[in-house]
Amino acid sequence: MRSYKIIIGSSSYFDKALDEAYSIIDGNNIIIPSFLELIRNFDAQKQSGKSDTIKTPLLFIRNNDYNGIVNAAHDRLGSLIEDITYDDAFILIHNPPRVLYEFSQDKHSRNLITLDEKREKYSIQRKPEEFKDNIFKISDAIVGQDRAIIEISKSLWYLISVQRKKPYVIMLYGNSSLGKTELVREIAKHFFEGKVLEKHLSMFKNNNYSDYFFGEEPNRRSLGFDLLERTSNLIFLDELDKCPEFFYSAFYTLFDNVEFKDATYDVDISGAIIILTSNYLSEDEMKQHLGMPIFYRIDKMIKFEDFSPQTIYEITMKEIEARKEEYGDMISPERIYEIVSKEISIKNENARTIKFKVQQVIENLLFKEVENSLADKEKSLCPEKKT
């Protein structure tokens, strides 16, 4: 009787299971062919008319192996496994597609195989005694968004205090470069061990990417594939406003259920925190562009305000200080600020424009000494003619 073990989770989680399997079988002295290599050999032997095919007593299938199988063969993954393994083989499978998962469940229900399953567990850091310190650290990193920090703190405290199954969806909105993306990364750092599944939706510009969102091509990477691969329950979808409406139906399932389903995979997303960002300036604008079905699946909206003059000053000084290792003793921070302050407006500035202007000032000041030297050399090479 074949023995199946299914591992649901990230690649690092599967690697741990793989190490355990090797230690049990003393795998240091065993070379186990890859799934794809075994399939190719099996097909080659069949085509050559050989009746005796090579089989293996051990089979380890990584999730990336499914991408090497032609679409037509995906419906018979279970049969392929049986074709290349002995009746008493041990089979370790990482994140099986639905068709393979259901195959193993059916075999087990009829007592034709033994089946063990392990799932990676995800959770927000539940240490109330560290909560305040973590929020203070986030507040120090995100300048000028005190109200947004307070609102995100309420949500994080709620999430570490309760056992919630349905995903919690947060929208951070406002003008660009105000700290939305930085906030998500700080949350990951202090509450999820720095781990986050991050997708930039502005990259999915047209309907050609529908395979990714809906998993219609089983031998290609999809959203379901990446969700199974995630290392934490923090999911970051950046720039939702740049994503074509064609893909919104994929988000209905993602935001509203404990299980995400596409054409290929079933994924447990219970307890997930999904943070969205957009450049919408109001909730009314959001409703108009996203539509009510998406809008009302978002649990909380947090607006990022444009920078005040004081915030612009603080960000400018922080940027100048952060670059001190670059310019060292060649320029003083005071000199940089003296010049850049004349270029920076008291409104309509963001982190990106401030960084750009500080960069330009540093470059100009560093080049000034070279420029003066070049000018002196030019004078010496081309002295003025005496009359």
Side-chain angles (χ1 to χ4, degrees):
M1 183 180 292
R2 290 180 178 82
S3 178
Y4 282 68
K5 186 168 186 177
I6 291 176
I7 305 297
I8 308 292
S10 63
S11 290
S12 59
Y13 186 69
F14 179 75
D15 286 341
K16 291 178 183 177
L18 198 58
D19 289 342
E20 291 175 7
Y22 272 114
S23 67
I24 292 171
I25 62 176
D26 191 20
N28 293 328
N29 300 316
I30 298 176
I31 298 176
I32 301 174
S34 72
F35 179 53
L36 295 178
E37 184 181 349
L38 287 164
I39 292 294
R40 283 194 292 268
N41 290 340
F42 176 80
D43 288 341
Q45 288 179 323
K46 277 185 66 176
Q47 290 174 10
S48 66
K50 292 183 180 179
S51 57
D52 294 329
T53 56
I54 297 174
K55 296 194 177 217
T56 179
L58 297 166
L59 180 61
F60 301 154
I61 306 177
R62 291 184 174 275
N63 59 343
N64 287 326
D65 289 337
Y66 312 124
N67 297 338
I69 304 293
V70 297
N71 283 356
H74 269 262
D75 287 341
R76 52 184 300 269
L77 279 171
S79 299
L80 287 173
I81 289 172
E82 293 194 339
D83 286 340
I84 61 176
T85 59
Y86 290 112
D87 291 343
D88 59 350
F90 173 72
I91 301 152
L92 185 67
I93 303 175
H94 184 205
N95 293 347
R98 182 185 301 112
V99 64
L100 179 53
Y101 186 81
E102 291 178 349
F103 172 88
S104 64
Q105 294 290 326
D106 175 66
K107 286 276 186 178
H108 182 244
S109 69
R110 292 186 285 137
N111 296 318
L112 298 176
I113 64 168
T114 64
L115 178 61
D116 184 24
E117 181 178 319
K118 286 184 68 176
R119 289 179 177 265
E120 188 166 6
K121 294 180 180 179
Y122 310 102
S123 178
I124 188 171
Q125 179 181 297
R126 296 181 185 275
K127 296 181 179 178
E129 68 278 7
E130 298 180 9
F131 182 81
K132 286 185 180 179
D133 285 343
N134 286 332
I135 294 300
F136 286 146
K137 289 173 184 175
I138 291 174
S139 182
D140 288 341
I142 309 298
V143 180
Q145 299 296 343
D146 292 346
R147 185 173 297 178
I149 299 295
I150 290 171
E151 291 305 315
I152 204 71
S153 300
K154 293 177 185 177
S155 296
L156 290 170
W157 182 253
Y158 163 75
L159 291 165
I160 70 171
S161 301
V162 303
Q163 296 291 336
R164 181 185 169 106
K165 290 291 186 182
K166 183 181 174 184
Y168 188 87
V169 186
I170 302 171
M171 169 67 84
L172 309 179
Y173 69 101
N175 273 317
S176 64
S177 299
L178 297 178
K180 297 186 290 290
T181 298
E182 289 79 1
L183 176 59
V184 179
R185 290 173 182 164
E186 286 295 316
I187 291 170
K189 180 179 177 181
H190 296 290
F191 289 93
F192 292 90
E193 300 179 336
K195 299 172 182 176
V196 57
L197 172 61
E198 183 171 332
K199 290 294 171 184
H200 299 274
L201 299 180
S202 58
M203 296 174 62
F204 303 96
K205 295 182 181 298
N206 55 54
N207 295 358
N208 293 333
Y209 291 94
S210 63
D211 290 342
Y212 177 80
F213 283 99
F214 303 115
E216 293 166 348
E217 297 289 338
N219 64 346
R220 294 185 185 179
R221 201 175 190 101
S222 67
L223 179 58
F225 182 100
D226 285 339
L227 287 169
L228 282 169
E229 269 262 277
R230 73 192 188 279
T231 55
S232 86
N233 243 358
L234 179 61
I235 300 167
F236 175 31
L237 303 179
D238 192 26
E239 295 188 309
L240 182 64
D241 53 316
K242 307 295 192 304
C243 185
E245 292 182 22
F246 180 77
F247 303 132
Y248 286 177
S249 58
F251 300 137
Y252 298 159
T253 303
L254 184 64
F255 296 171
D256 214 25
N257 297 279
V258 297
E259 189 173 51
F260 175 80
K261 292 175 178 284
D262 63 18
T264 304
Y265 292 101
D266 297 335
V267 190
D268 181 2
I269 52 170
S270 57
I273 300 172
I274 303 171
I275 302 184
L276 317 169
T277 65
S278 71
N279 291 337
Y280 298 124
L281 300 181
S282 68
E283 291 188 16
D284 286 341
E285 184 183 4
M286 209 181 302
K287 289 177 186 176
Q288 180 182 353
H289 287 88
L290 294 180
M292 296 310 219
I294 288 288
F295 182 84
Y296 284 114
R297 283 173 167 83
I298 300 171
D299 294 285
K300 190 164 192 175
M301 317 282 180
I302 300 177
K303 185 173 183 179
F304 274 56
E305 302 291 345
D306 290 345
F307 292 149
S308 67
Q310 177 62 27
T311 298
I312 291 171
Y313 168 77
E314 290 176 13
I315 291 176
T316 303
M317 295 308 298
K318 188 175 180 180
E319 181 65 19
I320 293 171
E321 185 64 28
R323 291 174 175 265
K324 198 165 186 179
E325 287 187 2
E326 296 178 12
Y327 56 81
D329 296 330
M330 294 181 287
I331 321 170
S332 71
E334 293 77 16
R335 178 61 176 154
I336 297 172
Y337 180 72
E338 178 187 353
I339 297 175
V340 81
S341 61
K342 298 172 184 176
E343 304 293 328
I344 292 177
S345 173
I346 61 171
K347 59 181 181 178
N348 297 327
E349 295 282 4
N350 59 46
R352 189 175 290 115
T353 61
I354 291 170
K355 285 182 180 181
F356 174 79
K357 291 175 180 179
V358 169
Q359 174 73 29
Q360 294 302 111
V361 168
I362 291 173
E363 287 185 15
N364 291 338
L365 286 173
L366 288 174
F367 189 71
K368 200 164 191 66
E369 185 176 342
V370 176
E371 192 176 37
N372 291 336
S373 298
L374 291 172
D376 291 341
K377 187 171 184 179
E378 185 179 12
K379 286 180 181 178
S380 66
L381 292 174
C382 304
E384 294 180 1
K385 293 181 179 180
K386 294 182 180 180
T387 55

